[in-house]
Every structure is written in C-alpha cells, then in structure tokens.
Amino acid sequence: MRIYTDEIINAVCLHMADRKGVKPTDVEVQLSWEEEYGFTAEVWVGGRSQYLIEANLIEAIVQYMYKHYNRRVFPSDITIDAEDDFWADIRD
C-alpha cells in the first residue's frame, strides 16, 4: 500500500494534535528532505515550531494506519521516499 503527501501530513497532524491536546486543524506541517538529516517535518502548533525526524514521521504513520485503515504495521514495514511528491510504502 502507498500513501501520499496529503495522508502523511494528515497522519502527522492527527498524531501531534493527540500529543499536544489540540485539534488537528490547529497543526500545520511542512515535509522536507535534506541530505544530512533525511526526511523531516517542521510542525507548528499554537504558534510554536518543532522539527520531527523520520522516526517521528513513521510513528505517526503507524498510528494513522491503525486508526484509519485498521491495520497494524511495524515501523520496519514503512519506507518514506520522495521525488516530485512524498510517499510512504507500507508492506503487507
């Protein structure tokens, strides 16, 4: 299964909203890839900025897959990649 940028952003918004006790609409996410750091996201909650590393993104995707697709996946089953768009491949 493959999810794309919008679903990855939704996963991060829902995950951070749950962790911070805010509504998902109060969370903004900007995905990026840097050679030195790999996949990251800058997240804004309540006017404050925070950076997430790839492991945090994968954790959000694991939770998203369980809550929205009723699928239990392990972090090792998820690979994030990008070209013109970001996507995450989830092994069955």
Side-chain angles (χ1 to χ4, degrees):
M1 176 177 191
R2 179 175 281 183
I3 62 173
Y4 291 92
T5 301
D6 290 342
E7 279 193 285
I8 296 170
I9 288 173
N10 285 344
V12 174
C13 285
L14 291 167
H15 184 68
M16 292 303 294
D18 191 43
R19 291 184 70 192
K20 301 288 185 179
V22 299
K23 296 182 289 189
T25 54
D26 294 336
V27 180
E28 294 182 45
V29 177
Q30 177 67 49
L31 299 174
S32 63
W33 184 87
E34 298 174 23
E35 192 169 327
E36 186 176 350
Y37 301 110
F39 291 97
T40 61
E42 186 172 8
V43 179
W44 293 269
V45 180
R48 300 189 77 183
S49 173
Q50 175 180 351
Y51 281 92
L52 303 180
I53 62 171
E54 187 170 344
N56 302 122
L57 299 177
I58 289 174
E59 177 184 356
I61 293 167
V62 166
Q63 294 298 318
Y64 182 81
M65 293 301 294
Y66 181 69
K67 290 177 182 174
H68 293 289
Y69 290 103
N70 200 30
R71 290 186 55 195
R72 285 197 179 272
V73 296
F74 294 97
S76 58
D77 295 331
I78 300 170
T79 305
I80 300 174
D81 207 346
E83 202 165 287
D84 292 334
D85 198 10
F86 290 89
W87 69 84
D89 285 325
I90 296 100
R91 282 190 298 234
D92 292 328

